[in-house]
Amino acid sequence: MKSPSQRLLNTPLVEAVPAWLAKARGNATARTLAQSEWLLRRKLDGRFLAAVAGHSVRSLDAATLRTDTGIGAALDAIARDCGQDVSITTHGGPLRALEIPADYGAVHGLAPIAEPAELAYAGRDRYRRPLWLLAPAARAWLRMRAAARADDVSLDAISGYRSHAYQLGIFQRKLARGQTIAQILTVNTPPGYSEHHSGRALDIGTPGQPPAEESFDNSPAFAWLQRHAGAFGFAMSYPRDNPHGIVYEPWHWAYAGR
Ligand SMILES: [Zn+2]
């Protein structure tokens, strides 16, 4: 059995993340985390629902834990603790819930992207949050970052794996603030279609540059990526005038290897 400490176990509604990666607020929570192996987190809003240690499940959010239907699947995943090469597809539900045009994928030349059943810890991102990627992409990213550093170039990760449910949460929050689906679709990919679901896509930044801005393409970091990223299996997904009609994203790279 592999060590549980470096992996995210994925199920449709809830994900299990290693407890040691979480930062505790307050002594009681710190004690619970120290005694736990896994934390169950609701993907839609990132809320922690329960802590799991061996066969015991301790509620961290009693009100939602009682009503949440995704807990059982997450506990099953911990029990199985396997699932390589198993994909999880949940995009049908969110898309229907959001009234995204049914021909969205066809119009943009984008296929629905399933979530991996398991993701690997790839260090922390710019904001000190755990970064999750598909295992080979995580290894390639860490190698590439080290090679850049050896050339005096600093690369940091801004965003890696994102779930369908997380993407749905972005849409729901914007809708609640009064934006229309059409407005949101000009800047966000609908749940199910973001390359970040695959665990292969990575938004890359460099210190001193704002995240996800076109000006990144003037940085030494971008010049370094253009020259070297291919050797590590990464390619820019959305160059200027890409056939998907997605805006130019010099910060967004995806790992194509296996
Ligand atoms: Zn991106």
Side-chain angles (χ1 to χ4, degrees):
M1 195 180 104
K2 289 177 288 181
S3 157
S5 61
Q6 302 273 318
R7 292 171 301 133
L8 177 155
L9 303 181
N10 189 20
T11 67
L13 300 174
V14 173
E15 57 199 9
V17 295
W20 68 269
L21 283 172
K23 293 194 185 72
R25 289 195 195 94
N27 287 339
T29 316
R31 211 160 32 242
T32 302
L33 292 188
Q35 294 165 351
S36 304
E37 293 154 46
W38 298 98
L39 292 177
L40 303 187
R41 179 169 61 187
R42 185 167 50 202
K43 289 155 73 173
L44 188 60
D45 58 7
R47 226 179 148 88
F48 287 112
L49 302 174
V52 182
H55 292 291
S56 91
V57 180
R58 189 179 306 195
S59 168
L60 297 174
D61 188 336
T64 48
L65 186 59
R66 262 198 307 279
T67 54
D68 210 287
T69 51
I71 295 280
L75 292 174
D76 287 348
I78 291 173
R80 278 196 311 276
D81 197 7
C82 62
Q84 293 85 345
D85 293 319
V86 180
S87 290
I88 296 179
T89 305
T90 56
H91 52 82
L95 280 190
R96 280 196 299 276
L98 282 176
E99 295 174 12
I100 303 287
D103 61 354
Y104 178 89
V107 166
H108 292 268
L110 294 173
I113 297 175
E115 298 173 5
E118 187 179 309
L119 291 132
Y121 180 60
R124 295 199 180 255
D125 66 16
R126 172 181 287 193
Y127 310 102
R128 308 298 302 153
R129 302 173 302 194
L131 174 73
W132 297 103
L133 291 170
L134 209 60
R139 286 192 294 271
W141 158 244
L142 293 172
R143 276 200 304 271
M144 182 164 79
R145 199 180 56 173
R149 197 181 296 131
D151 289 344
D152 273 332
V153 170
S154 254
L155 302 179
D156 57 18
I158 291 161
S159 182
Y161 163 72
R162 298 202 291 261
S163 69
H164 296 168
Y166 179 90
Q167 198 79 2
L168 174 63
I170 293 174
F171 274 69
Q172 289 178 334
R173 285 188 287 278
K174 290 189 171 184
L175 287 169
R177 288 203 297 269
Q179 295 190 26
T180 65
I181 287 284
Q183 285 170 330
I184 304 169
L185 283 176
T186 62
V187 286
N188 291 106
T189 312
Y193 288 95
S194 168
E195 201 174 39
H196 287 277
H197 299 323
S198 67
R200 294 174 172 278
L202 186 61
D203 293 337
I204 299 175
T206 194
Q209 282 283 332
E213 293 279 346
E214 197 176 310
S215 61
F216 178 64
D217 75 357
N218 281 317
S219 66
F222 181 74
W224 189 94
L225 285 169
Q226 279 200 306
R227 205 167 320 126
H228 299 289
F232 295 90
F234 282 93
M236 211 196 323
S237 301
Y238 309 116
R240 283 190 203 282
D241 303 320
N242 63 77
H244 307 295
I246 291 178
V247 293
Y248 173 47
E249 294 191 357
W251 60 86
H252 179 110
W253 296 74
Y255 178 74
R258 289 197 61 83

